[in-house]
Amino acid sequence: MEKLTIPETLQKNITYHSEVCDRHTYIKAGQEIVKPIQKMVIDGELVCPRCELEQGDRKLQAATQKEYDEYLKQKKYNTFYNRSILADNTILAATLENYHVEHQEERKNKQTVMESISRLKNGQVFNLILQGNQGAGKSHLAYAALRELNESGLDISCLFVNVESMMRLIKDSFNNKESRYSENYFVELMSEADYLALDDIGAETGAIGTDKIATDFVQRVLYAITTTRQDKTTLITTNLSSETLFRMYDKKLISRLFRNPKFVVFKETKDKRMNNIPF
Ligand SMILES: [Zn+2]
């Protein structure tokens, strides 16, 4: 039989002890039979070597779990910056700070949005509907609100989706099987997001203010999302009146979007994007 030579340095620190480990001695009926383990004195401390190994395993497992949890949290955080679908990149700069307030209506609406963010951070669930004139800054506020939530350090995911851009991507995917932007991709992505903004709903039909009915796949995608998001907060921006929305879409779909709502309505605010034009 081969005899192991223990290095001298270890020989100094490890000695066997007459005691056996309590945890690794008892043999109960129906349980795994464990041979009694003789304790050791390692570096002056009396320990059971098997207990030490098991504890090491648990520590490693906990460390691995923690790393995995961190990874998931980071992935959720990145959703907002990596997966959002924007109509144009200028919105990337939108914050609450740079939403300039000139008139009473803007001040009041910005205040409402800020209060809503606080309520959402505290775990309340409701739909935030920003309605009104084109260019009043509804998308700006919705994007800024999601940014606030995303940067709050909560373990959540946010997603901003310009509906028209999304619908164009889905439509393109019908003829391009290589495209990742399928109907299912978006339904899954938008269902999973903790906070979703549907930007400029109604504009995707290209018929604002008319009686045009939204196409089948648009209805289908939005309907699927409202089904999966019944206990989550969705932010909606639109130029259209509720009357027009009810005419264009399945009534049940709009009812769901407007359930438990907080309305932010712009009636007086002019197109902010035109402010710099001097005539
Ligand atoms: Zn033990």
Side-chain angles (χ1 to χ4, degrees), residues 105-121:
E105 183 181 71
E106 292 161 296
R107 187 170 294 113
K108 193 184 100 221
N109 286 345
K110 182 178 178 177
Q111 189 59 36
T112 305
V113 169
M114 285 165 69
E115 282 161 15
S116 298
I117 294 168
S118 300
R119 286 170 58 199
L120 293 172
K121 280 184 187 171

Side-chain angles (χ1 to χ4, degrees), residues 21 23-24 37 48 50-51:
C21 173
R23 280 192 61 232
H24 292 114
I37 302 286
C48 160
R50 181 168 288 180
C51 282

Side-chain angles (χ1 to χ4, degrees), residues 13-267:
N13 297 329
I14 299 177
T15 53
Y16 281 96
H17 196 272
S18 55
E19 261 180 56
V20 291
C21 173
D22 288 343
R23 280 192 61 232
H24 292 114
T25 303
Y26 296 114
I27 302 162
K28 287 179 188 163
Q31 286 188 357
E32 195 190 350
I33 294 168
V34 182
K35 265 198 219 161
I37 302 286
Q38 197 175 348
K39 287 191 178 177
M40 285 175 165
V41 179
I42 300 175
D43 286 338
E45 206 185 328
L46 184 63
V47 294
C48 160
R50 181 168 288 180
C51 282
E52 290 294 291
L53 282 174
E54 286 174 1
Q55 201 186 357
D57 272 357
R58 278 196 299 273
K59 269 187 195 160
L60 187 66
Q61 222 168 45
T64 311
Q65 186 64 45
K66 198 178 164 217
E67 209 169 284
Y68 185 62
D69 290 347
E70 276 300 315
Y71 161 78
L72 287 183
K73 192 177 172 186
Q74 189 64 35
K75 199 177 161 207
K76 280 191 194 174
Y77 172 85
N78 289 338
T79 302
F80 183 54
Y81 297 109
N82 295 345
R83 301 293 188 94
S84 288
I85 302 291
L86 314 174
D88 69 88
N89 286 338
T90 55
I91 196 129
L92 291 170
T95 63
L96 285 175
E97 290 73 33
N98 64 24
Y99 181 80
H100 295 300
V101 166
E102 280 174 48
H103 304 290
Q104 182 54 29
E105 183 181 71
E106 292 161 296
R107 187 170 294 113
K108 193 184 100 221
N109 286 345
K110 182 178 178 177
Q111 189 59 36
T112 305
V113 169
M114 285 165 69
E115 282 161 15
S116 298
I117 294 168
S118 300
R119 286 170 58 199
L120 293 172
K121 280 184 187 171
N122 288 329
Q124 292 187 37
V125 177
F126 55 94
N127 291 326
L128 187 66
I129 294 131
L130 299 108
Q131 193 276 339
N133 308 341
Q134 190 161 358
K138 301 182 297 292
S139 305
H140 182 130
L141 282 174
Y143 190 87
L146 286 188
R147 188 203 296 280
E148 279 289 316
L149 289 164
N150 203 53
E151 297 301 325
S152 67
L154 293 169
D155 186 12
I156 54 157
S157 60
C158 299
L159 184 72
F160 183 96
V161 173
N162 177 267
V163 178
E164 187 180 6
S165 305
M166 171 184 67
M167 292 308 177
R168 208 178 304 123
L169 287 169
I170 295 177
K171 214 171 168 188
D172 288 346
S173 81
F174 292 161
N175 298 320
N176 175 11
K177 296 295 161 214
E178 304 284 292
S179 169
R180 74 192 290 203
Y181 297 116
S182 65
E183 207 174 301
N184 280 343
Y185 168 84
F186 280 111
V187 169
E188 217 167 276
L189 185 66
M190 295 194 289
S191 298
E192 272 176 23
D194 294 308
Y195 297 95
L196 169 71
L198 290 173
D199 180 48
D200 214 356
I201 200 163
E204 80 281 355
T205 63
I208 291 176
T210 75
D211 283 358
K212 191 170 175 186
I213 306 294
T215 53
D216 278 355
F217 87 95
V218 172
Q219 302 265 17
R220 202 160 58 220
V221 169
L222 293 178
Y223 197 84
I225 299 159
T226 57
T227 306
T228 53
R229 299 192 59 79
Q230 301 205 44
D231 52 0
K232 288 181 177 176
T233 288
T234 306
L235 289 72
I236 293 144
T237 80
T238 185
N239 301 331
L240 303 181
S241 68
S242 59
E243 198 190 333
T244 308
L245 288 170
F246 274 111
R247 226 171 20 228
M248 282 171 58
Y249 297 97
D250 184 308
K251 287 181 178 49
K252 211 166 154 193
L253 192 168
I254 299 300
S255 299
R256 281 179 177 179
L257 284 178
F258 284 5
R259 184 159 48 195
N260 193 11
K262 181 80 197 164
F263 291 108
V264 177
V265 179
F266 292 88
K267 285 181 178 150

